[in-house]
Amino acid sequence: MAFTSGTVEFAHPSLPSPAQTWYRVYGDLSSSSSSSSSSSSSSSTQPPLVVLHGGPGYCHNYMLPLADLASPSSGEERPVVLYDQIGNGLSSHYPEKRGDATFWTVGLFLAELENLLAKLGIAGRQFDLLGHSWGGMLGAEFAVTRPTGLRRLILSNAPAAVSLWVDSVARLRSTLPQEVRDVLDRCEREDRLDSEEYEHATVEFLNRFGCRTQPWPADLIDSIVWTTEKDTTVASTMLGRSEFFVEGSLKDWTIVDRIARINVPTLLINGEYDEAQDSTLEPFFQAIDKVKWVTLAGAGHCAQFDARDKYLDVVKGFLQL
């Protein structure tokens, strides 16, 4: 599939020097329409879809299934924009900022998104936005500002508050086999969260509720390697050391009291076995005026792998409305 890759410079007051945000565009971004009408059957009029990856600390790789929407076989050839948030993947890294909660803020990532949209010529035109997990949290933060040009919003497997996420994960953890729970409890009690034993028990959880596709797809593994081995700065600072609780700078994050400001049609997606259980999405459903919610049978948190065809059909159908 045809794509173009590159970087855009991102300057921000908190940065010691301008960063580089790496991006990849599938399809022809220049051909997407700047018109307010998106109902034409011509593929050249389809607004671009900008994708926000999760983590924090992952990178674009595990969201690559969405590039299929730019394929001629999709029937619409919608431009799809993927990028790595700074501190992640192929964008600029700042390992010296490990543990600096005043640096790794939601505001920094929002400014980066706004900069990317401007540098790619998307700002001010019609575009759609899809955020997965943390990317959905970031997408919601962006949407409440009511940015010009945002046409449709997709919050995929994303919680409305970190406290709701932690509660959901705790309930799912209680369904694990007793021997797995015993390992997790013991390692946490002994502060051995970096042990191989704890890692293996965590993978048991993720096989059920993270990505149920076995073996895990290579694109997902690539993202995991980035955040767990190559550079753990963002994840360790914003989340912490465990899948089961948040001790980093996002621990008190919530958008529940601001959701009603989202004024564009919104699609909510989660999986039947998702870490983001229904309770984490419910505030979005209750507060957004024009909202649709789809739960994908048999899928976990990575529904783009676990129910790939259905996931893409749901996204495509929503964007075509």
Side-chain angles (χ1 to χ4, degrees):
M1 189 185 309
F3 63 81
T4 58
S5 301
T7 60
V8 299
E9 186 173 279
F10 169 47
H12 189 269
S14 68
L15 293 170
S17 59
Q20 298 294 319
T21 300
W22 180 93
Y23 69 88
R24 175 169 289 172
V25 178
Y26 288 86
D28 185 0
L29 187 59
S30 66
S31 71
S32 61
S33 174
S34 60
S35 164
S36 61
S37 173
S38 60
S39 60
S40 168
S41 61
S42 170
S43 64
S44 65
T45 65
Q46 298 300 326
L49 174 65
V50 180
V51 179
L52 309 179
H53 67 72
Y58 275 45
C59 52
H60 79 283
N61 304 60
Y62 83 106
M63 298 306 296
L64 280 169
L66 286 159
D68 286 0
L69 297 178
S71 169
S73 63
S74 71
E76 58 177 15
E77 299 184 61
R78 179 184 305 277
V80 176
V81 180
L82 302 172
Y83 76 101
D84 288 341
Q85 299 157 23
I86 63 167
N88 304 272
L90 300 173
S91 292
S92 296
H93 287 248
Y94 296 91
E96 70 275 15
K97 297 294 186 179
R98 180 185 303 274
D100 188 347
T102 65
F103 179 81
W104 299 109
T105 63
V106 171
L108 176 66
F109 291 105
L110 283 176
E112 182 187 29
L113 172 58
E114 292 166 356
N115 179 75
L116 180 71
L117 295 174
K119 294 290 179 63
L120 293 182
I122 297 173
R125 301 163 53 184
Q126 281 203 330
F127 66 96
D128 301 315
L129 192 69
L130 183 152
H132 178 266
S133 195
W134 146 253
M137 296 157 61
L138 183 62
E141 288 276 7
F142 182 69
V144 300
T145 69
R146 298 185 173 180
T148 301
L150 180 61
R151 190 186 73 105
R152 290 181 180 273
L153 175 68
I154 301 175
L155 303 178
S156 178
N157 317 84
V162 167
S163 60
L164 295 174
W165 169 271
V166 172
D167 289 345
S168 175
V169 167
R171 290 194 300 273
L172 294 175
R173 172 172 164 162
S174 70
T175 68
L176 291 172
Q178 185 63 53
E179 60 270 22
V180 178
R181 284 182 280 148
D182 288 344
V183 170
L184 293 171
D185 292 342
R186 183 172 63 255
C187 289
E188 289 169 356
R189 191 167 55 248
E190 297 172 356
D191 196 25
R192 294 193 297 113
L193 304 188
D194 295 329
S195 68
E196 186 173 320
E197 191 179 14
Y198 192 75
E199 178 184 349
H200 287 166
T202 300
V203 169
E204 287 291 327
F205 175 87
L206 293 175
N207 282 338
R208 290 169 171 80
F209 309 113
C211 182
R212 294 170 62 83
T213 301
Q214 300 295 318
W216 286 354
D219 290 330
L220 174 61
I221 293 175
D222 286 345
S223 285
I224 292 174
V225 168
W226 268 110
T227 191
T228 60
E229 297 179 20
K230 294 183 178 180
D231 189 349
T232 62
T233 300
V234 178
S236 64
T237 304
M238 299 185 74
L239 292 178
R241 301 174 295 163
S242 174
E243 185 72 22
F244 303 104
F245 49 86
V246 177
E247 56 189 359
S249 59
L250 279 180
K251 64 181 179 180
D252 298 320
W253 180 85
T254 180
I255 202 168
V256 170
D257 59 344
R258 294 174 287 139
I259 294 173
R261 298 180 193 173
I262 297 176
N263 64 346
V264 296
T266 301
L267 170 65
L268 309 176
I269 301 175
N270 70 336
E272 179 183 3
Y273 300 101
D274 202 334
E275 291 177 88
Q277 288 286 289
D278 290 356
S279 57
T280 71
L281 280 73
E282 185 68 29
F284 289 124
F285 189 71
Q286 294 298 329
I288 298 174
D289 184 38
K290 298 177 180 179
V291 63
K292 179 181 181 179
W293 184 351
V294 176
T295 298
L296 297 177
H301 192 54
C302 290
Q304 70 273 27
F305 294 120
D306 294 339
R308 179 170 178 150
D309 291 344
K310 181 62 176 176
Y311 182 89
L312 293 176
D313 284 346
V314 166
V315 171
K316 178 180 173 181
F318 176 72
L319 296 180
Q320 288 178 333
L321 292 175

